[in-house]
Amino acid sequence: MSAENPSAEKPSAEKDGRRRDAAATRAAILDSARAAFIASGYEGAGVREIAEGAGVTAMLINRYFGSKEGLFAEVLSTANRRPIIATPETLSAPDRAARISKALLKVTEPEATALDGFLIMLRSISNERAVEIARAVVESHHQKNVTEALSGPDAAERAALLMSLVAGVQIMRQVVGLDALSKDRDAALERVLGDLVARLVDE
């Protein structure tokens, strides 16, 4: 019967096409939003600007993400989904303090591109709602993963302090550019940073 009726496959094909178009549209909106939030922060990035960058209407952003807040949360969640410094492999390694220190210095080298999630949060810090969203994302991603990887007492507090140390190094080394944190001092920085990180991640 299906060989005699070519249209029998059409509804499924159309449905698949709609799914592919929806996925592509959603990805385009997220890409445009990520670039806008990195450049201007939560307050400076407008929904119309994001829509134009994605080649869609502002109405579609609300359809896919509910609101600008929903879009911001999704962008941050996506940016924080794959850790760069405290990866599962690093956190389970016997020399995890040294690995975390090396990774942190590597990603904050002067020529390195700052991590998207870090830049978005840094440039959105003046907006109270953006900070609330960022806190929820961090607590449900990095905070949760690091806490679960640590043993011994005060795991949540130690995990939060480790993230604070990471953020501080990112700001002072990559954004402010303190001379004492420059690349030519990496040997000393790796040694001192390793000791600090070990105090937090080792029992």
Side-chain angles (χ1 to χ4, degrees):
M1 293 292 291
S2 60
E4 296 175 359
N5 183 12
S7 65
E9 298 297 326
K10 191 173 182 181
S12 178
E14 288 179 347
K15 188 175 181 180
D16 287 345
R18 286 197 297 271
R19 280 200 294 265
R20 285 194 295 271
D21 289 344
T25 299
R26 195 174 191 278
I29 293 172
L30 285 173
D31 285 344
S32 178
R34 184 178 64 251
F37 289 136
I38 288 174
S40 307
Y42 180 82
E43 288 186 347
V47 172
R48 288 185 180 179
E49 170 197 356
I50 294 170
E52 288 176 3
V56 301
T57 64
M59 189 188 317
L60 273 181
I61 291 181
N62 290 331
R63 180 183 300 177
Y64 280 92
F65 300 97
S67 64
K68 180 180 175 180
E69 289 184 4
L71 177 58
F72 182 74
E74 184 65 21
V75 168
L76 267 186
S77 180
T78 301
N80 284 275
R81 197 162 289 154
R82 295 181 179 178
I84 303 297
I85 298 170
T87 66
E89 296 77 17
T90 294
L91 289 172
S92 62
D95 59 340
R96 58 186 178 183
R99 292 192 182 199
I100 290 171
S101 301
K102 288 181 180 179
L104 177 55
L105 292 176
K106 181 67 176 176
V107 301
T108 55
E109 289 178 348
E111 65 273 14
T113 301
L115 301 180
D116 289 357
F118 166 70
L119 286 178
I120 291 171
M121 288 190 284
L122 180 65
R123 291 169 182 166
S124 303
I125 202 73
S126 62
N127 184 277
E128 183 177 346
R129 180 56 184 145
V131 171
E132 292 176 356
I133 294 171
R135 179 168 56 249
V137 169
V138 169
E139 289 180 342
S140 64
H141 288 77
H142 296 322
Q143 168 79 28
K144 179 176 180 291
N145 295 335
V146 175
T147 299
E148 290 176 350
L150 300 182
S151 58
D154 305 319
E157 291 80 2
R158 288 155 53 210
L161 286 170
L162 175 62
M163 291 187 294
S164 300
L165 177 60
V166 168
V169 172
Q170 286 178 297
I171 291 174
M172 293 303 177
R173 177 171 157 99
Q174 197 165 38
V175 179
V176 179
L178 294 182
D179 288 340
L181 299 179
S182 61
K183 183 174 173 56
D184 60 357
R185 306 195 187 198
D186 272 7
L189 291 173
E190 186 176 324
R191 182 179 66 256
V192 176
L193 189 58
D195 290 341
L196 292 172
V197 174
R199 292 284 299 274
L200 295 172
V201 303
D202 297 334
E203 290 186 50

